[in-house]
Amino acid sequence: MYFDEIDTIKEIELLNRESKSIVWGVHQQHHFIIPPTVYPPREDTTLLANEIMKLGPGKGRKALEIGSGSGALSLVMSQLGWKVEACDINPYAVMSTNYNLKNAGFEIVCREGGPGPDGIQWAANAPYDLIVWNTPYLSSEDNADHLGPLEEAALSANRDINLMEILIQQINKHHLLSRNGLLLMLHQQNPTLFDIASLNKMASRKCSHKVFEDGEEIQVTCFWYPWHNSPVKHVERVGSTNQALLETQERFGSHMTAKTQTMGRGRYQRTWLSPSGSYSGSWILHPELSISPGLTQIFAGMCVIRCLESFEVNDLHQKWPNDIYSDEGKIGGILVESQSIGNHMKIVLGIGVNLSSHMSLNEKGYPHVRGDKTVEFHQFDDRIHAYLASIFECRKELPKPDFKFLTEEAFQLICAFGNPIYRNLEWQITNLTQDGFLELLNENESLIVKEGETLDWSRK
């Protein structure tokens, strides 16, 4: 970006402004000195601060704030007992953070820098147990009082670069986050973040959001490593991955894959062949999620479709209640099984997908994932593991899944498959219940269908 004399004069005028004093806080109020060009605490700061508060005491664990600005979030974390470090690309923000924290009685290290192509010196003491970032999302017009030409140039130079994606990549590559750590980012709506996280073996979930009067929406998203404390076991051959996990004493989130199953099964104990090259995987789920087996298998089917689409395998469809189809036919299925152990319920989720181009998935000759796309077994497993954790993992630090939103999304996918035929009549799908059942409507009546075996589909 070219700088002329007018830019230079504007920069000097901004920097020569007086610092401002403001009062802000979520737990208790504090005075902040805000130098020129430094972003002050606003509603977005409060939204992210409230999510940090929900995590409870830091107990001396390490935290990093990216883009610290005034240091408001660093102060919140310090008050909660986190051992905080911070960074910002604006040297005036570095000065402001250090001053405001010291004035509140806390000593932290704030470095100049942030996510980008120039290294990770800003995260010198990684790994961290918590990383937070209120990402820059306002336009230069919105930030007219805070951005000088130099900082505006820095943001402009990165406008075509997804800095959030760069951060997630750097976290994964350089181990910036501990295995049980959390990343909290505030950002504008970004539907690609879910996929970006899974590509880097991380799960993600929406925490909270806010809609402004002008219709602009921001949200806080949480990222983490899936089921970090549960074992993952890969075997070449097994009778049934579901049965193996039903018989094990492993904890929630335990996961097993096999390239060949000799006693695989679908619903109603139907034979489910898993020849070499297909994918079979199972997970032990936590019953505290409190969703029905019907919705569990439907949400899992959504994850399979999202995962395969991340490999550029498109034109996929979800047939209620548990089948995955391409335009050529069925390529996979979902099976949820449970058993009672004393007063406890054990739930196992199984997924089978034909990744092989060599053999059909079962005796009916179902096709494989399209031959012009390569879906490698372990890459698929890493991603589906993250997608499933984003919905099904249960930890006290994590926000609760938005099952209402997920049900609405699943409803749209199921409707896209086509209208079912029941009693020789075509019916319209009008609702997906909390039990995972379908509500159907025709000209004369409405009803609820609980079993997929009673339906034929107009789609071919």
Side-chain angles (χ1 to χ4, degrees), residues 27-249:
H27 180 62
Q28 60 187 87
Q29 301 293 298
H30 281 274
H31 283 86
F32 290 84
I33 302 300
I34 312 295
T37 77
V38 173
Y39 187 76
R42 288 181 169 178
E43 291 171 292
D44 52 352
T45 317
T46 302
L47 187 67
L48 186 48
N50 285 330
E51 293 303 321
I52 295 170
M53 296 282 291
K54 292 176 185 178
L55 300 178
K59 298 180 180 180
R61 291 173 291 171
K62 293 196 298 183
L64 172 69
E65 181 187 3
I66 299 172
S68 59
S70 65
L73 295 176
S74 288
L75 178 55
V76 170
M77 291 187 288
S78 296
Q79 290 174 326
L80 289 169
W82 294 90
K83 185 178 180 182
V84 182
E85 298 174 18
C87 65
D88 200 294
I89 61 172
N90 183 351
Y92 279 74
V94 173
M95 177 182 66
S96 178
T97 296
N98 282 323
Y99 175 84
N100 287 322
L101 268 291
K102 185 175 182 180
N103 192 48
F106 298 99
E107 293 284 348
I108 73 166
V109 175
C110 186
R111 304 179 182 88
E112 189 173 342
D118 301 323
I120 56 166
Q121 69 282 354
W122 44 273
N125 289 322
Y128 298 94
D129 301 299
L130 175 63
I131 299 176
V132 300
W133 189 15
N134 185 351
T135 65
Y137 65 90
L138 296 175
S139 67
S140 57
E141 290 79 11
D142 295 325
N143 258 324
D145 292 335
H146 309 296
L147 292 183
L150 288 175
E151 192 169 1
E152 166 62 19
L155 290 177
S156 296
N158 287 314
R159 255 188 203 122
D160 294 330
I161 302 174
N162 190 329
L163 290 178
M164 292 184 288
E165 181 175 0
I166 288 177
L167 174 61
I168 292 172
Q169 290 171 346
Q170 289 180 326
I171 284 175
N172 192 41
K173 180 179 179 180
H174 300 290
H175 309 292
L176 303 186
L177 191 68
S178 64
R179 295 304 301 177
N180 64 337
L182 300 178
L183 164 65
L184 295 178
M185 284 202 293
L186 184 144
H187 55 90
Q188 285 181 314
Q189 292 286 79
N190 187 338
T192 66
L193 271 182
F194 193 82
D195 298 316
I196 290 168
S198 71
L199 290 175
N200 290 274
K201 305 179 184 180
M202 297 186 76
S204 59
R205 192 176 293 168
K206 181 178 177 179
C207 299
S208 56
H209 74 286
K210 181 176 180 64
V211 180
F212 295 99
E213 291 183 357
D214 61 1
E216 179 185 38
E217 183 174 352
I218 56 175
Q219 73 176 57
V220 179
T221 302
C222 178
F223 302 82
W224 72 96
Y225 290 111
W227 288 298
H228 69 280
N229 203 29
S230 299
V232 175
K233 186 176 183 180
H234 302 295
V235 299
E236 289 292 320
R237 188 180 183 88
V238 72
S240 161
T241 55
N242 264 25
Q243 189 61 38
L245 288 188
L246 284 170
E247 294 173 355
T248 187
Q249 299 299 313

Side-chain angles (χ1 to χ4, degrees), residues 156-376:
S156 296
N158 287 314
R159 255 188 203 122
D160 294 330
I161 302 174
N162 190 329
L163 290 178
M164 292 184 288
E165 181 175 0
I166 288 177
L167 174 61
I168 292 172
Q169 290 171 346
Q170 289 180 326
I171 284 175
N172 192 41
K173 180 179 179 180
H174 300 290
H175 309 292
L176 303 186
L177 191 68
S178 64
R179 295 304 301 177
N180 64 337
L182 300 178
L183 164 65
L184 295 178
M185 284 202 293
L186 184 144
H187 55 90
Q188 285 181 314
Q189 292 286 79
N190 187 338
T192 66
L193 271 182
F194 193 82
D195 298 316
I196 290 168
S198 71
L199 290 175
N200 290 274
K201 305 179 184 180
M202 297 186 76
S204 59
R205 192 176 293 168
K206 181 178 177 179
C207 299
S208 56
H209 74 286
K210 181 176 180 64
V211 180
F212 295 99
E213 291 183 357
D214 61 1
E216 179 185 38
E217 183 174 352
I218 56 175
Q219 73 176 57
V220 179
T221 302
C222 178
F223 302 82
W224 72 96
Y225 290 111
W227 288 298
H228 69 280
N229 203 29
S230 299
V232 175
K233 186 176 183 180
H234 302 295
V235 299
E236 289 292 320
R237 188 180 183 88
V238 72
S240 161
T241 55
N242 264 25
Q243 189 61 38
L245 288 188
L246 284 170
E247 294 173 355
T248 187
Q249 299 299 313
E250 298 290 0
R251 58 183 290 117
F252 307 118
S254 297
H255 171 42
M256 171 180 279
T257 69
K259 293 184 176 179
T260 301
Q261 287 188 125
T262 60
M263 299 176 63
R265 58 185 181 271
R267 299 177 78 223
Y268 306 111
Q269 299 298 313
R270 291 193 181 96
T271 300
W272 184 272
L273 298 181
S274 301
S276 178
S278 61
Y279 175 87
S280 299
S282 298
W283 291 258
I284 301 177
L285 301 184
H286 203 301
E288 285 186 8
L289 281 172
S290 300
I291 57 173
S292 66
L295 280 185
T296 298
Q297 64 186 7
I298 290 169
F299 294 161
M302 289 169 50
C303 289
V304 171
I305 290 177
R306 286 173 172 173
C307 186
L308 288 173
E309 286 176 343
S310 75
F311 289 93
E312 299 183 356
V313 178
N314 299 311
D315 300 319
L316 299 173
H317 315 280
Q318 188 161 359
K319 176 191 169 188
W320 182 82
N322 68 324
D323 292 334
I324 309 299
Y325 272 67
S326 71
D327 283 343
E328 298 175 354
K330 180 176 174 179
I331 62 169
I334 317 297
L335 179 64
V336 176
E337 297 183 284
S338 63
Q339 67 180 26
S340 297
I341 304 175
N343 295 325
H344 302 283
M345 179 67 71
K346 190 171 191 179
I347 302 172
V348 171
L349 165 67
I351 291 176
V353 181
N354 194 359
L355 303 180
S356 171
S357 61
H358 304 297
M359 298 180 68
S360 61
L361 189 58
N362 65 25
E363 70 277 7
K364 291 187 178 180
Y366 295 135
H368 56 82
V369 169
R370 289 167 49 188
D372 59 337
K373 301 296 181 183
T374 299
V375 182
E376 196 276 329

